């Protein structure tokens, strides 16, 4: 997809195909994943499927992303977003 969207969904949903599901208990991680820093990171390190179609790979784009150690201040940002 050209655009990546991180969204809260009910935990009873069942996903398939190339949907990546993150399970976090705070809004801080949500704010981090929606940040422009993370967007730049995943555009730099993810592969593509041709042109502007991004192939978000958690192994490459998420697990290597340097998530801040002090996430507390990001809770309010993530909750209001």
């Amino acid at each position: 997809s050209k655009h990546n969207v991180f969204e809260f969904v009910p935990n009873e949903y069942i996903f398939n195909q190339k949907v990546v599901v993150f399970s976090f208990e705070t809004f801080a991680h949500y704010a981090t994943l929606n940040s422009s820093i993370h967007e730049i990171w995943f555009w730099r390190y993810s592969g593509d499927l041709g042109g502007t179609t991004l192939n978000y790979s958690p192994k490459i784009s998420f697990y290597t992303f340097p998530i801040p150690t002090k996430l507390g201040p990001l809770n309010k940002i993530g909750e209001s977003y």
Side-chain angles (χ1 to χ4, degrees), residues 31-64:
T32 303
L33 292 176
N34 276 302
S35 70
S36 58
I37 296 168
H38 183 245
E39 181 179 9
I40 292 166
W41 183 271
F42 69 67
W43 273 103
R44 169 67 175 95
Y45 293 104
S46 291
D48 64 57
L49 300 173
T52 59
T53 304
L54 184 70
N55 182 26
Y56 188 94
S57 167
K59 184 177 179 180
I60 296 169
S61 302
F62 177 72
Y63 295 125
T64 61

Side-chain angles (χ1 to χ4, degrees), residues 2-76:
K2 183 178 179 180
H3 304 284
N4 286 287
V5 178
F6 297 95
E7 185 66 45
F8 283 100
V9 295
N11 62 0
E12 66 266 2
Y13 282 16
I14 298 173
F15 301 96
N16 65 7
Q17 296 187 10
K18 302 270 307 166
V19 174
V20 179
V21 177
F22 298 100
S23 177
F24 297 117
E25 295 184 14
T26 69
F27 288 100
H29 286 94
Y30 177 68
T32 303
L33 292 176
N34 276 302
S35 70
S36 58
I37 296 168
H38 183 245
E39 181 179 9
I40 292 166
W41 183 271
F42 69 67
W43 273 103
R44 169 67 175 95
Y45 293 104
S46 291
D48 64 57
L49 300 173
T52 59
T53 304
L54 184 70
N55 182 26
Y56 188 94
S57 167
K59 184 177 179 180
I60 296 169
S61 302
F62 177 72
Y63 295 125
T64 61
F65 182 68
I67 295 177
T69 55
K70 296 183 180 183
L71 293 173
L74 294 174
N75 269 320
K76 271 191 162 179

